[in-house]
Amino acid sequence: MRVVIDATALGSGQGGDDSMVRGLLEGLAEVATAEDCFPLIVRTDAELPAAVADHPGFPRHPVRRLPGLAHFTVGLPRDLASLDPVPDLVCAVNHGPVRSPAPVALFVQDLSFHHHPEHYPRATRWRLRSVVPHQARAARMVLTISEFSRQDLIDSYGIDPDRIRVVPDDVPLAPPFDDVLGGAGRAWLAELGVAGRFVLCLGNLHPRKNVARLIEAFARVVRTEPDLADVQLVIAGGRWWGGGEEEAAALAPEGSVRFLGRVSEDHKEQLLHLADALAYVSLFEGFGLPPLEAMARGTIVVASGTTAVAETAGDGARLVNPLDVSSIAAGLTDVLTDHELRARLRVAGAARASSSSTASTGRSARLAFADAIGLSRGSRASATR
C-alpha cells in the first residue's frame, strides 16, 4: 500500500495531535512490510521519530505549513498534487484537503468542540463545527482513538459504523530511569521551587483540561490534611487559550502550585517518574494519554471517570467526578494517604498500560488503511460496471 500521511502536526506544539501522529508513525514503522510506503508531508524543521527518520518506507516531503485552514485549502492540495506516483490513500488529521488525488482517511480524535463549544475561541469553534462533520461524512474512512470516540461519531454525525476504525494512541515502553536521572530531576525541580512530594498535572492548558478546578481541590486538600501540607501541585504544559488557572493558584497556599510551562521530553520523563501521583481530571477526552504514560512508569493516577478517560484508565486509576471539587479532593487525598490503594493501583495501572503498545497502534492503522483502500477500489469497480 502507498498511503500519504499529513504529518505536519509534528513539531506544531499541538500536544494531542503531535503525540498522536508521532505514535502513529512509530507504530507503522514497527509493522510495515517491504511493499508498504508511507510518504510523509512534514514541516521543514520537524524532528521525526527515530523509528522513521532513516526508514526507506517513510520518504519525507518537507513543506512550509500554511496557517489555519490555508493548509487544507491551499497548501496540502498543492503538495498532494505534486506527488508521483499517486497514492492509494491520504491520511489527514482533523481536516482533510479540499482536493485530493486519492480517497481520504480522516483522523478525528474527539468531538469536544461539538459538545463543549464554549471551550473554544469563536473562530476555532466555527471552523471545527462547520468543517469536521462535512469532511467526516465524506471521508472514505474515519479513524479515531477510542471506542468512546467511535460511538460518539456514530451518534453525533450519523456516520456508518463500518466506515469508522479505532486506532488507539501509542503507549511506548518507558525508557530506563535510574538514580542518576532521578537525582538530576530532583535538582532541576529544586531550582524551580519544588522541593519534595508533588502531584503532577501534565498537558496543555485549555478550558476542557479543568485545571482551575483541580487547583481548587488541591488547595482544599493541603489546607485540611495536616500530613499533606507540604505536597505541591506541579503543572507542566503550554497554554492554548482560556485562563483562570493562575487566579485559582493565588487562592492556594503560597508556593504550593508551580507552573512549569511546556517541558522537554527528558524533563517530562523526570516528572512522570518522580511524581507521587498524576492528576488528570479533564472534562472531555477522546483518549487520555498521560494517565497511561504515568501508569507505565509506576506512578499512581487520579483521573476523570467520564468520556474516554474512564475507558483508558479503567481500574488502573482512582476515578473521580471532574465537575465536583469535593470528589477530586477526595481522590487526591486517597492516593496520597492510602498505601493499600496505591499498591493496588500500581499493579492494575501497569497491567492497563501494558495492554497498549506501539505494535498494536501500527497494526490497527495498517488494517484501517487496507480496509479504506479496499473500499475505494470496490467503489471504482462498481462505477465501471
Side-chain angles (χ1 to χ4, degrees):
M1 68 175 69
R2 186 177 187 85
V3 180
V4 174
I5 299 174
D6 178 8
T8 54
L10 292 175
S12 66
Q14 305 291 311
D17 291 349
D18 192 329
S19 296
M20 185 277 291
V21 172
R22 191 170 299 276
L24 172 67
L25 299 186
E26 290 172 340
L28 287 170
E30 190 159 328
V31 303
T33 70
E35 289 74 36
D36 292 336
C37 185
F38 300 104
L40 305 179
I41 296 177
V42 296
R43 296 170 185 263
T44 53
D45 59 348
E47 182 178 344
L48 294 183
V52 302
D54 298 312
H55 196 300
F58 293 80
R60 279 179 282 183
H61 297 270
V63 301
R64 184 177 65 84
R65 193 188 193 282
L66 299 178
L69 278 178
H71 172 66
F72 302 99
T73 58
V74 178
L76 186 56
R78 177 196 61 208
D79 299 331
L80 292 172
S82 69
L83 297 179
D84 185 27
V86 174
D88 299 311
L89 188 72
V90 172
C91 177
V93 179
N94 295 327
H95 302 310
V98 295
R99 297 179 305 282
S100 174
V104 172
L106 182 65
F107 235 118
V108 180
Q109 296 185 77
D110 66 69
L111 300 183
S112 58
F113 55 85
H114 175 77
H115 298 286
H116 292 284
E118 72 277 8
H119 292 166
Y120 293 82
R122 181 177 298 176
T124 303
R125 177 171 67 234
W126 175 86
R127 169 173 56 81
L128 291 170
R129 301 188 86 194
S130 300
V131 176
V132 174
H134 169 74
Q135 291 196 329
R137 295 183 183 113
R140 182 69 66 188
M141 187 75 76
V142 178
L143 311 180
T144 193
I145 52 181
S146 65
E147 289 296 337
F148 169 84
S149 288
R150 178 179 182 275
Q151 190 60 49
D152 199 13
L153 284 160
I154 295 168
D155 296 340
S156 298
Y157 291 167
I159 297 175
D160 181 352
D162 290 338
R163 291 199 304 109
I164 307 177
R165 297 290 186 277
V166 175
V167 180
D169 273 351
D170 166 36
V171 185
L173 293 174
F177 192 81
D178 56 22
D179 290 342
V180 174
L181 293 173
R186 288 291 183 193
W188 167 66
L189 285 168
E191 292 176 359
L192 299 174
V194 182
R197 296 187 296 170
F198 68 93
V199 173
L200 174 64
C201 173
L202 181 65
N204 287 317
L205 295 178
H206 181 291
R208 70 186 172 107
K209 298 299 183 180
N210 203 29
V211 176
R213 196 174 274 118
L214 169 63
I215 295 171
E216 183 181 352
F218 171 78
R220 182 180 301 184
V221 169
V222 296
R223 288 190 187 280
T224 59
E225 298 288 338
D227 291 342
L228 302 179
D230 63 334
V231 177
Q232 292 174 279
L233 176 62
V234 173
I235 300 169
R239 180 173 298 285
W240 277 20
W241 51 72
E245 295 86 5
E246 286 81 3
E247 292 80 357
L251 302 177
E254 184 176 357
S256 64
V257 180
R258 296 291 183 180
F259 293 90
L260 304 189
R262 188 172 290 117
V263 299
S264 68
E265 284 299 311
D266 287 343
H267 284 153
K268 174 183 167 182
E269 282 298 322
Q270 292 167 340
L271 289 168
L272 284 168
H273 279 280
L274 297 174
D276 283 65
L278 173 87
Y280 195 78
V281 295
S282 179
L283 298 174
F284 196 102
E285 293 292 333
F287 189 79
L289 184 58
L292 284 178
E293 291 179 314
M295 292 174 190
R297 291 151 179 82
T299 299
I300 309 305
V301 175
V302 176
S304 300
T306 60
T307 67
V309 183
E311 173 187 332
T312 302
D315 63 353
R318 169 65 163 83
L319 301 180
V320 299
N321 179 354
L323 293 172
D324 185 346
V325 171
S326 295
S327 177
I328 299 171
L332 291 172
T333 301
D334 286 348
V335 300
L336 292 171
T337 61
D338 188 333
H339 298 294
E340 290 185 4
L341 174 64
R342 289 178 64 84
R344 185 166 68 251
L345 291 179
R346 186 170 286 111
V347 172
R352 174 73 57 165
S354 67
S355 66
S356 301
S357 69
T358 301
S360 64
T361 297
R363 284 192 294 268
S364 297
R366 191 178 183 282
L367 180 59
F369 292 161
D371 287 347
I373 292 168
L375 285 173
S376 173
R377 288 171 176 164
S379 297
R380 287 200 296 267
S382 297
T384 59
R385 290 189 185 121

